[in-house]
Structure formats: structure tokens, C-alpha cells
Amino acid sequence: MTTALISVSDKSGILDFARELHALGIRLVSTGGTAKLLAEAGLPVTEVAELTGFPEMLDGRVKTLHPMIHGGLLARRDLPAHVQALQQHGIGTIDILCVNLYPFEQTVAQDGCTLEDAIENIDIGGPAMVRSAAKNWKDVTVLTDASQYASVLAELRAHGATQPATRFALAVAAFNRISNYDAAISDYLSALQPDGTRSPFPTQSNGRFVKVQDLRYGENPHQQAAFYRDLYPAPGSLAVAQQLQGKELSYNNIADADAAWECVKSFEAGACVIVKHANPCGVAVGATPLEAYGKAFQTDPTSAFGGIIAFNRPVDGEAATAVARQFVEVLMAPAFTAEAFEVFKAKANVRLLQIALPPGGATDWANGRNLMDAKRVGSGLLLQTADNRVLRREDLSFPTRLKPTEAQLNDLLFAWTVAKYVKSNAIVFCGGGMTLGVGAGQMSRIDSARIASIKAGHAGLSLQGSAVASDAFFPFRDGLDVVVDQGAACVIQPGGSMRDAEVVAAADERGVAMVFTGVRHFRH
């Protein structure tokens, strides 16, 4: 390998990389600002204009789009006709291409970015060179990220050239980079509206995900599956979890773990969430992780068997000892103490996941949560903005004669937070900072209420004086009557039914307080 062309927008680590290439006897060719940087560092560098015999023009828009560059990248060294053509036209081979692109993604992410700013940050020559080099990977090593420099230098030192497997992997990474870059441009331009605003729904949707791991199977053993993360995963999200011990995560483990983690990080107070089949079967807050877990487990000990457990506080030895008494598939927390690790040494199959909470805590909805939700339908895709609505106390209205006490209001807001993560139709009984009964996924809201009360009965929990949350409005008074018959003293629901007056009158008749949120939380 004799010649390297370097043209980078992000110059992180480029001087050290270029110095190493020069020390290995590799000729340096570069463009504009990169050439100036290398020259000022005392490195011998040939400018592209000198190589092509044609000056950069149009404010640098045209500089590498030339046969002297692309011929040197695309020529196959194993084809005599290609080699002869290079010799005939005096074109030298380019063996290493190091390019990263204009910062389009960073530019359009800035507040106040104009269309003109975006257009000027669309790279043309860079992607063209990267594609040429990647296509000819058998002869050319293409680098598109500073993280690749060290391994390439190590191979050059050891062998004098990169290995075929390395060149192919770098070519794949290069094509992926170009694909993501083009997708970002398409997403931005497709979302622009005539008034200059950007729609959350572009005319073409370009998903960009990176595979984290292959999975043993999907939802069922006859299905194949893999886990992907966003190209730029958010802090505090499941995609950045670190698995500390345990068996490989399964498809269902990941789906249920996400449900548990999204729920538990919604609480400011220390909380524990136990999930089974995508639904919370026990949720509680407590002064310690042990207290929160004990209350959450008490809600439904039967369903908790083989469940997914999430804490929003570090798990200590006491909590770990209690959790270890049951069969648990996955345990998640921001951290684990040394004592907790010691407890789980004897439970080597338990999957321990460590995930940092979003920087701003439970109210930091901009971090660690999806901005969009997607669902596949036959040959199509449903996209919607994610249900990240935060309910504030000033959003509430109180239509009944009886108003909730401060303690009841706290329980109602707790129940409402849990109900958001329960499959519709959802009915959640709560009291004292814990769930007492959860009814999920029934076709009838009345059946969900009945199931929640049955669950409470099996767990030996009383629903007298409890607070109840319904994820959507009561269309008739019968749903309200069922929860009051079971012991509810106050109810929180969206309101908005054409029969709200009838339901409010029923609440007044039954002597319970009702709160309207003005927002529903269907979860299908």
C-alpha cells in the first residue's frame, strides 16, 4: 500500500493517523482544510489539485470528482486492462481512503437550521469517493470513522497491508454510513413543509437501526429474530443496557424488559416494577428497594413467578436477597452493590441488566424514550408520536361533589402512571403507593375491573378505600359501579364520553370522588 487520500470534516485523531501512515512510507494526498492541517504539522502532503491538474472550484464543491481520483480508487489491480488504462493516462492507484462526511445530521439537529444551511452540508464528493473505494474493497481500504484508525494501523504495521476480511468489513461499514447519510438527507427534506416547518411524518420514512445481536428465536421457537437499536440510541434507554451476567436475552425478555424499564423510570420516588407478558403485575414505591419490591410482589405473587423486575434505584444486598427467593428472568437497575452481586453469584442464569437513568430523571421525557412508535401492518407501517404526555396536577378537573383528599390524589396519580403501561382495556386498583389489582387486555372494561378484583382477592389484598385508574373513559356507569362495588373510593379517568354526566352522577350517587385527566392512554 503506497498512497492514502485523506479528506475529513471531523479531524479527530487524523494527525496521529497521518503521522503513522507517513512513518510506514505511505504517500499522503489530501484536500483543502485537511491538507493545510497536515502541512502545518510538518507532514509532506500532495494536494488533490496537484494530483488532478485541476483546481478546486465552486467554493470547494468540485475537487475530487475527477478521473485521477476515481480511476485510482476503482481500478482493479488484477485486471491487466485496468492496469494498462491507468498507465496510459498517468493515473496512480489510491490504496487507502480516509473520508468522513460533511456534518449534515449535526447541522439539521440544531435549532434555527435553515434549508440553505442543510443544503450546504450535503456532501457530494465524499460519498462518491467512499462508494468507489468500498466497491473496490479487494484493493482499497476505506475508513469512514476515527474509531477504525487504530486497528488499520495495527494491521499495516504487522503485515504491510490490511487483510481481505478487514477491507470487506470496512467496505460494509462504508456503505452503511452512506446509506444512513442519504437516509438523514431524505428524512429532512421529505419532512419540510411549504411554511418552512418540519413535519414529524416525512413523505418517505427511512428507518436506521444497527443490529445489537442475533436472538435464539423470536416470540415462539419457530420464529427467527434479532435485536436492533437506533443508530443514535438515547441515554437511559434499554438499547444501551449493559448485561452483567446471565443467559442470553430472548426476544420476549427484551420486549418485557422494555415494558418494565419504561414504567419504572416514570417514577420520581424509588420504585419497583414486575412485568409478566408485557403487563405490570406489580408496581410499588418504597423508602428502600426492599420495601418497593416487597409491596410490588405482594400484588400478584403468582404472576411474578418468572417475571421481569426493574428498579429505579441501585439494588442492594437486602433487595437482592428477597428477589433471589423467587424465579426471575431479568433484573434491571441503575446499579448493583457488591453485596447484590454476591447474592446472584449463586443464580448464574439470572440476567442482570444495568441501565443509567435519563440525566433529568422521571420528568426528562426527552431522554431515553422513543419519539415515535411504529407498528407493522400488512405491507405497511403505522407511525405515531410516542405517548410521552406528562400529566400535571393543573391538568386535572374534579367533576364530582366529593373531591379526593391529598392522600387519595397521590394514589390516583400513582394508579394513572401504572395504567399507562397496562394493555387496554386497563383497570388498576392502588393504595398506599402500591398496586392492589391489575386488569389488562380485556375486550370489556368491566371484565378488566372484575379480573383486577379477582387478582386482589387471590393475593389477600383488600380494595376497600382504594384508588382506581381507567386508561380510557367509562362509556356507561356500569364500569364505575363494578369498581365501586369492589371497594374503590376514588377514580381517575380521561373523561370525554358523551355520557360523562351520567357517570359523574353515578359517582355522586355512590359517594366517590372522580378526577378527569383529559387524556387517555390506550396501549394495544
Side-chain angles (χ1 to χ4, degrees):
M1 292 188 164
T2 61
T3 302
L5 194 162
I6 303 174
S7 180
V8 292
S9 176
D10 177 3
K11 295 176 174 55
S12 302
I14 199 62
L15 271 179
D16 290 338
F17 182 61
R19 285 192 185 100
E20 291 282 350
L21 292 179
H22 174 63
L24 291 166
I26 295 172
R27 178 192 181 198
L28 303 178
V29 178
S30 192
T31 61
T34 306
K36 181 180 179 182
L37 178 70
L38 300 183
E40 289 175 347
L43 290 168
V45 59
T46 301
E47 290 217 33
V48 162
E50 181 182 343
L51 191 69
T52 63
F54 201 93
E56 293 185 13
M57 61 183 295
L58 307 179
D59 298 320
R61 287 191 174 199
V62 178
K63 51 193 174 191
T64 58
L65 297 170
H66 194 282
M68 296 297 288
I69 301 299
H70 287 273
L73 291 170
L74 282 166
R76 287 179 53 181
R77 281 60 155 175
D78 62 334
L79 293 181
H82 282 205
V83 175
Q84 183 180 359
L86 293 183
Q87 293 171 347
Q88 178 183 351
H89 296 286
I91 299 174
T93 58
I94 297 172
D95 308 295
I96 298 172
L97 178 73
C98 180
V99 169
N100 55 54
L101 310 177
Y102 292 173
F104 179 85
E105 295 101 324
Q106 295 91 327
T107 298
V108 299
Q110 294 173 1
D111 292 335
C113 172
T114 65
L115 177 59
E116 289 72 24
D117 293 334
I119 293 296
E120 286 306 311
N121 279 278
I122 296 176
D123 204 332
I124 302 299
M129 288 192 292
V130 168
R131 290 175 67 88
S132 292
K135 177 175 180 176
N136 200 23
W137 64 269
K138 290 184 178 180
D139 296 312
V140 181
T141 303
V142 55
L143 300 93
T144 52
D145 190 89
S147 64
Q148 300 163 340
Y149 298 167
S151 59
V152 166
L153 287 172
E155 285 198 12
L156 290 174
R157 293 190 203 100
H159 307 289
T162 53
Q163 301 302 293
T166 297
R167 292 196 296 276
F168 182 74
L170 289 170
V172 172
F175 279 120
N176 288 342
R177 174 66 186 120
I178 299 303
S179 172
N180 289 326
Y181 194 74
D182 287 342
I185 295 168
S186 170
D187 283 342
Y188 173 80
L189 296 176
S190 297
L192 284 181
Q193 302 298 296
D195 62 359
T197 60
R198 290 164 66 178
S199 167
F201 304 104
T203 55
Q204 177 170 308
S205 177
N206 302 282
R208 288 174 283 162
F209 301 93
V210 178
K211 187 163 73 173
V212 176
Q213 66 189 91
D214 289 308
L215 302 174
R216 286 177 296 161
Y217 52 82
E219 203 162 10
N220 298 291
H222 60 274
Q223 295 172 270
Q224 295 177 309
F227 177 37
Y228 289 77
R229 64 163 175 79
D230 283 322
L231 185 62
Y232 303 111
S237 62
L238 183 68
V240 299
Q242 179 184 4
Q243 184 168 352
L244 303 179
Q245 78 159 49
K247 296 188 297 184
E248 178 184 326
L249 289 163
S250 72
Y251 180 98
N252 292 329
N253 288 157
I254 294 170
D256 286 350
D258 184 62
W261 185 245
E262 290 299 304
C263 184
V264 80
K265 70 183 183 184
S266 298
F267 293 96
E268 289 283 5
C272 175
V273 174
I274 306 174
V275 162
K276 192 69 172 288
H277 294 300
N279 281 298
C281 61
V283 181
V285 294
T288 65
L290 176 62
E291 181 187 352
Y293 168 72
K295 291 163 67 177
F297 181 77
Q298 191 179 0
T299 302
D300 190 351
T302 301
S303 297
F305 180 84
I308 310 292
I309 302 177
F311 290 87
N312 65 357
R313 295 289 189 273
V315 172
D316 56 21
E318 288 186 325
T321 300
V323 171
R325 295 191 188 106
Q326 73 164 101
F327 171 46
V328 56
E329 290 275 6
V330 180
L331 177 61
M332 293 176 287
F336 297 85
T337 66
E339 292 78 11
F341 273 124
E342 194 63 32
V343 169
F344 283 104
K345 277 185 179 178
K347 300 270 187 177
N349 287 336
V350 175
R351 303 162 179 91
L352 298 185
L353 300 185
Q354 183 169 298
I355 317 176
L357 289 168
T363 57
D364 187 4
W365 291 87
N367 277 307
R369 297 181 186 275
N370 297 328
L371 297 179
M372 302 290 290
D373 285 339
K375 181 180 292 187
R376 286 302 309 262
V377 294
S379 294
L381 182 72
L382 286 171
L383 283 177
Q384 64 175 349
T385 57
D387 186 7
N388 290 338
R389 175 74 172 268
V390 178
L391 183 66
R392 301 167 302 178
R393 291 202 175 198
E394 53 265 35
D395 298 327
L396 304 177
S397 59
F398 304 89
T400 51
R401 288 194 297 268
L402 188 64
K403 311 304 178 190
T405 65
E406 186 64 20
Q408 287 178 325
L409 188 55
N410 288 335
D411 279 336
L412 288 169
L413 292 173
F414 175 89
W416 182 253
T417 300
V418 176
K420 177 180 175 180
Y421 298 97
V422 178
K423 298 289 186 180
S424 300
N425 286 312
I427 294 290
V428 180
F429 288 83
C430 294
M434 64 177 283
T435 49
L436 301 172
V438 179
Q442 299 304 304
M443 290 70 77
S444 162
R445 195 161 300 277
I446 295 175
D447 287 340
S448 290
R450 288 171 176 154
I451 289 172
S453 65
I454 291 170
K455 290 276 191 181
H458 286 169
L461 298 173
S462 171
L463 298 180
Q464 292 303 311
S466 60
V468 170
S470 173
D471 64 339
F473 60 64
F474 289 105
F476 303 97
R477 68 166 291 167
D478 52 2
L480 175 75
D481 284 328
V482 169
V483 299
V484 176
D485 287 344
Q486 302 304 321
C490 52
V491 176
I492 188 168
Q493 59 131 322
S497 167
M498 60 185 298
R499 293 185 175 83
D500 272 352
E502 173 187 326
V503 176
V504 170
D508 286 336
E509 175 190 323
R510 301 296 302 269
V512 296
M514 182 176 289
V515 176
F516 283 170
T517 65
V519 59
R520 78 179 186 197
H521 284 308
F522 274 165
R523 187 178 180 88
H524 293 106

